[in-house]
Amino acid sequence: PTMRGSETGGLTLPLRLAALAIILSAVPGKSDEFIKTTDNNNELSGHQTITQIYGNSNKPVKVYVKMYTDSPSLLCTTEELSEKELVDPYFIWVGPTGRNIKGETYARISVTGRLILKTFDKSMSGDYTCTVSYKDVDSNKEIFLDMKFSVYGYREPDNSYTFSTRYHTNECHDPANNHFFRKLKSVEKELIADLTSRITDVEMKCHVVKVPRKGLVTELFIMFKLDPFGYGWEEICKKLVHDCEDETNRRVEKARGRIEAFFKKQSIALDLMKDNMPTFYYIENSLKTTRVDHCRPGFGKNKLTHLDCAECCVVCDHGMYSPTNDVYCKPCTSVKINYYGATAC
């Protein structure tokens, strides 16, 4: 069970020493607090940057476009056909609604049939069909070739982290455990306060552990979560609408780096205190960190349907929806959803 215990009137000397050790070790370092992230955020999802994509007359070509960016050039030709001369070529592009998209503000179409979708939004997801026609001079016939591109908007996942760690204590029923626990929570939250990230679901349990060559020891097992949705994050996103998840992920990565450095420094400090160990001290190498992905409402992961963008949060398909920050879209059986990115059923 989670240890709560009763409060005592004042802190014992060992507890004050432990609290002091935590506070001293909480000062962020200058180099090791930053986790280096790549500017090419496509690497996070495993989806490689592609500048142009050929059509295929036999099957639809899947294309993934990061939200609020421009799509790659969609070529109204196959790779084989691009090597041939075309006499009097003519190109037509039809969008998901079945209408010619020439002249639409979001569609840039070149004279050679290249299509770029500008500032992609989830409502632009769907099938885009191009038809190229040209003359066969020898037979004097008109040749027509259709190619379909299935285009999906995607976001990078929002990252959060779960942490688990251990601290030494004297016994499970010691009321001082709770004083220490509150101090630890306070220091950790202060550590990341400027990053609009937050620590939630903080738990403490006490167990007696049999350690090889040390016998029985009493330890506090502490768990908590870190996510980028602390106070003020929505204001930042309003200023960075087109780059919101990238910025929140950068901030939570920096917060993760500070937390890991915080525990690492405790190990260093304890090496200098071996002859005068406090009651509560960090068990070296006990920190475990696990990344957890979340998708924004209307988006989800699907490794079967979207194998080429398996780690992306792809817009929910027709008949699917996602109302929360869950990682998967789910089917809607009560009504028919005939659009992409549904957030309700």
Side-chain angles (χ1 to χ4, degrees):
T2 302
M3 295 297 296
R4 297 187 182 276
S6 60
E7 296 187 6
T8 60
L11 297 179
T12 63
L13 179 59
L15 182 56
R16 285 201 299 271
L17 289 173
L20 179 61
I22 291 174
I23 292 170
L24 289 175
S25 65
V27 179
K30 293 182 179 179
S31 58
D32 57 356
E33 72 171 300
F34 297 104
I35 299 298
K36 191 173 183 181
T37 57
T38 175
D39 290 329
N40 180 10
N41 287 289
N42 286 324
E43 291 182 12
L44 294 175
S45 63
H47 186 51
Q48 299 298 313
T49 301
I50 299 173
T51 57
Q52 62 181 28
I53 299 176
Y54 288 99
N56 189 318
S57 58
N58 298 317
K59 62 180 181 179
V61 177
K62 289 186 177 181
V63 181
Y64 300 92
V65 184
K66 190 172 183 179
M67 291 286 288
Y68 311 118
T69 67
D70 295 347
S71 76
S73 294
L74 308 183
L75 307 183
C76 192
T77 181
T78 64
E79 197 164 357
E80 181 183 4
L81 191 63
S82 68
E83 300 297 325
K84 298 180 179 179
E85 285 188 344
L86 302 183
V87 177
D88 295 335
Y90 186 71
F91 306 92
I92 297 177
W93 278 96
V94 174
T97 60
R99 294 183 297 183
N100 190 329
I101 60 174
K102 184 177 181 179
E104 295 287 351
T105 56
Y106 63 85
R108 192 169 76 195
I109 304 174
S110 74
V111 293
T112 56
R114 289 172 177 256
L115 168 65
I116 296 177
L117 300 169
K118 305 290 291 181
T119 317
F120 199 87
D121 186 74
K122 68 178 183 179
S123 61
M124 295 161 62
S125 298
D127 291 337
Y128 290 78
T129 303
C130 77
T131 300
V132 55
S133 64
Y134 58 95
K135 281 185 179 178
D136 184 326
V137 178
D138 293 335
S139 63
N140 200 30
K141 289 183 178 179
E142 195 84 9
I143 308 295
F144 294 88
L145 193 64
D146 293 330
M147 285 154 279
K148 183 183 289 186
F149 297 82
S150 297
V151 186
Y152 303 92
Y154 80 92
R155 292 179 178 270
E156 300 293 350
D158 289 312
N159 299 338
S160 66
Y161 292 90
T162 60
F163 295 85
S164 63
T165 189
R166 299 187 192 185
Y167 276 84
H168 174 273
T169 185
N170 281 339
E171 59 179 50
C172 284
H173 299 292
D174 188 344
N177 290 343
N178 288 288
H179 288 286
F180 172 79
F181 185 48
R182 283 197 297 273
K183 174 57 69 174
L184 180 64
K185 288 193 292 183
S186 174
V187 170
E188 285 181 338
K189 289 180 179 180
E190 183 67 24
L191 187 65
I192 62 169
D194 63 316
L195 297 175
T196 62
S197 297
R198 65 180 180 179
I199 290 175
T200 64
D201 300 335
V202 189
E203 297 181 9
M204 179 181 73
K205 297 180 180 180
C206 187
H207 298 283
V208 177
V209 181
K210 182 181 180 298
V211 180
R213 294 178 292 280
K214 287 187 179 180
L216 297 178
V217 296
T218 306
E219 294 181 353
L220 302 176
F221 288 60
I222 296 172
M223 291 78 67
F224 58 93
K225 295 179 182 178
L226 170 71
D227 69 46
F229 305 118
Y231 178 77
W233 81 272
E234 290 173 313
E235 289 302 315
I236 291 175
C237 275
K238 287 177 183 177
K239 299 174 185 176
L240 300 165
V241 175
H242 295 174
D243 198 27
C244 182
E245 67 264 30
D246 292 343
E247 178 61 22
T248 53
N249 281 343
R250 277 192 286 267
R251 288 171 177 264
V252 80
E253 285 291 329
K254 190 179 288 187
R256 176 181 71 91
R258 287 186 185 179
I259 290 172
E260 291 178 342
F262 165 76
F263 286 99
K264 182 179 179 180
K265 289 179 181 180
Q266 289 182 65
S267 295
I268 297 171
L270 287 170
D271 281 341
L272 305 175
M273 302 171 63
K274 285 183 178 179
D275 297 329
N276 188 24
M277 296 293 277
T279 302
F280 302 96
Y281 59 84
Y282 169 64
I283 305 298
E284 190 172 7
N285 298 323
S286 66
L287 182 68
K288 307 298 180 188
T289 307
T290 304
R291 195 182 94 176
V292 181
D293 287 347
H294 306 275
C295 294
R296 298 289 173 94
F299 293 80
K301 290 185 179 185
N302 189 325
K303 294 184 179 181
L304 295 178
T305 303
H306 302 298
L307 182 61
D308 292 333
C309 206
E311 296 304 315
C312 310
C313 291
V314 181
V315 65
C316 293
D317 211 331
H318 288 199
M320 309 288 284
Y321 76 108
S322 177
T324 63
N325 284 2
D326 199 358
V327 75
Y328 300 111
C329 301
K330 47 191 176 183
C332 176
T333 55
S334 57
V335 296
K336 185 177 180 180
I337 298 177
N338 58 0
Y339 59 93
Y340 290 90
T343 58
C345 178

